[in-house]
Amino acid sequence: MSSTIKHQSSQLNAGGPELRGSNITLERIMAKTDTSTRQTKIICTLGPACWAVEQLEDLIDAGMSVARFNFSHGDHEGHKACLDRLRQAATNKNKGVAVLL
């Protein structure tokens, strides 16, 4: 065996390289985080099961950042009423919610 291979082999046996994610601990997972700086978006398609203001507020609390309206179902008046309820829920929660039409 060449000296280079022996040297690399001895480095791996002496604890090995750090694996991706090996710095993840339960404490880091459970720690409070500042979610205001997150870039991730949660898109929710709204349907009849979540058209009430209270249900929309629950979705906002759960992290919804984009409300998607499916115009394949329903009529424009119904979607306008839901949009008004969504705006009310966002105002109640003092959060911005994008709308995807």
Side-chain angles (χ1 to χ4, degrees):
M1 212 189 291
S2 74
S3 63
T4 304
I5 294 173
K6 285 181 185 176
H7 178 68
Q8 289 174 346
S9 154
S10 66
Q11 283 181 335
L12 293 176
N13 291 337
E18 183 177 353
L19 299 176
R20 289 179 53 189
S22 63
N23 61 342
I24 297 173
T25 64
L26 182 59
E27 290 78 26
R28 289 187 70 184
I29 292 171
M30 299 302 291
K32 293 279 186 190
T33 58
D34 179 17
T35 58
S36 65
T37 59
R38 287 188 181 165
Q39 300 282 329
T40 303
K41 305 297 179 226
I42 298 175
I43 302 171
C44 299
T45 301
L46 302 182
C50 60
W51 281 348
V53 173
E54 297 80 18
Q55 293 162 328
L56 293 167
E57 289 174 349
D58 289 343
L59 288 173
I60 293 169
D61 287 339
M64 174 177 68
S65 50
V66 180
R68 177 181 173 269
F69 287 79
N70 184 356
F71 280 90
S72 296
H73 306 285
D75 56 10
H76 287 71
E77 292 80 22
H79 289 296
K80 170 69 168 96
C82 186
L83 178 60
D84 291 339
R85 289 189 296 273
L86 175 65
R87 288 179 175 161
Q88 181 61 51
T91 301
N92 293 349
K93 291 296 181 176
N94 197 27
K95 299 236 176 152
V97 178
V99 176
L100 180 63
L101 302 176

